[in-house]
Amino acid sequence: MVLNHPTADRPSKTRVRQAFERAAATYDAAAGIQRAVCHALLATLADAAPPAALLDAGAGTGYALPLLAERFPTAAPFALDLSPAMLARIAAPCCRLVGDLEHLPLAAASLDLYWSSLAVQWCELPRALAEARRVLRPGGRLAVASLGPETFAELRQAFAGIDDYQHTLIFHTPEAIARMALAAGFTDVAVDRQRQIAHYPDFRALLRAIKALGANQLSDGRRPHLMGRAAFAAAEAAAERQRGAAGLPLTYDVLILKAHR
């Protein structure tokens, strides 16, 4: 589960790094939706001019890098992630950078393309967008995929009424993300929305998949004790009531932000 105390905001950087360090070995096998989102984000760059330098911000294990290299073979690629263990699994040629999206270790106006797929949702988004604008050259392109408020709605419903925890982070609406991008100084701002739905054979498999992606520990508010059997069984029964022909659903409310510097 992505546990979040009702009063917590974004998870701490230490918590994010630790979560993805632990998930580095299991991430790729569980990342089907994340792969689909990469391809959807890439489609938004069909008309993009070839960049001289690009950044994959929150690169993870580097799935997007070969896709970007195929689209932009002359670009110099940089891959940044908070987790050294994730970066160590990147096979594609690139300049690897351990760093924070809110404090990029790059010079101002050094990039033509800032790409980030399903990473900025763990950040204070206004800070991450301000940094993205800082490192882009005038006319540079922003292509970001994040998560919207309907993400993991099934999980929230399954745990509703069981305790006082939200069980998922609160994600920004499309309108809020557009406002933040404009406030950061971007132009030609547009936010597209699409749903990606994963299916699992049972509730435990759904929770294992979230854990394998590293998203089960991202919270500053921690449960003081383990969930009891009765509470878990109630959540499991609520999840089963959502079952469809393909299994238990889990929604990713994907928001794709496009803009120019």
Side-chain angles (χ1 to χ4, degrees), residues 85 93 140 143 165 177 220 257:
Y165 287 77
I177 287 178
D220 286 329
L257 167 64

Side-chain angles (χ1 to χ4, degrees), residues 5-233:
H5 193 276
T7 61
D9 192 7
R10 297 299 93 183
S12 70
K13 293 298 186 299
T14 298
R15 186 66 53 77
V16 173
R17 183 177 62 254
Q18 291 174 345
F20 288 108
E21 288 281 288
R22 285 191 293 265
T26 57
Y27 184 89
D28 286 330
I33 294 292
Q34 286 69 20
R35 304 310 186 220
V37 173
C38 275
H39 287 277
L41 188 58
L42 187 68
T44 70
L45 299 175
D47 63 342
L54 64 84
L55 172 67
D56 184 351
T61 59
Y63 179 81
L65 290 166
L67 305 178
L68 291 166
E70 183 178 3
R71 178 66 56 87
F72 305 118
T74 62
F78 293 82
L80 179 139
D81 203 273
L82 199 59
S83 164
M86 286 282 190
L87 287 173
R89 303 185 78 85
I90 294 177
C94 64
C95 177
R96 294 170 180 80
L97 301 169
V98 177
D100 181 354
L101 273 66
E102 297 174 26
H103 305 281
L104 295 174
L106 293 166
S110 58
L111 301 172
D112 305 288
L113 172 62
Y114 178 102
W115 159 290
S116 184
S117 186
L118 297 187
V120 299
Q121 66 270 13
W122 312 127
C123 301
E124 293 293 340
L125 188 53
R127 295 179 188 174
L129 289 173
E131 274 293 271
R133 187 180 186 279
R134 182 185 67 81
V135 300
L136 281 171
R137 298 185 179 109
R141 191 139 178 175
L142 180 79
V144 171
S146 188
L147 295 175
E150 293 181 16
T151 298
F152 295 174
E154 298 88 353
L155 195 59
R156 286 194 298 276
Q157 184 176 339
F159 283 99
I162 290 176
D163 54 33
D164 292 330
Y165 287 77
Q166 291 180 212
H167 295 275
T168 70
L169 291 173
I170 299 171
F171 298 111
H172 297 298
T173 65
E175 296 78 14
I177 287 178
R179 286 195 300 269
M180 290 176 195
L182 288 168
F186 284 100
T187 63
D188 305 321
V189 173
V191 181
D192 296 331
R193 191 174 198 172
Q194 59 178 250
R195 286 186 179 180
Q196 299 277 354
I197 302 178
H199 292 90
Y200 300 94
D202 54 55
F203 192 51
R204 291 182 185 275
L206 184 154
L207 297 178
R208 283 196 301 270
I210 295 174
K211 181 178 180 179
L213 292 167
N216 65 313
Q217 297 293 329
L218 298 182
S219 167
D220 286 329
R222 301 285 290 169
R223 176 185 297 280
H225 51 74
L226 294 175
M227 178 177 289
R229 288 185 180 180
F232 185 88

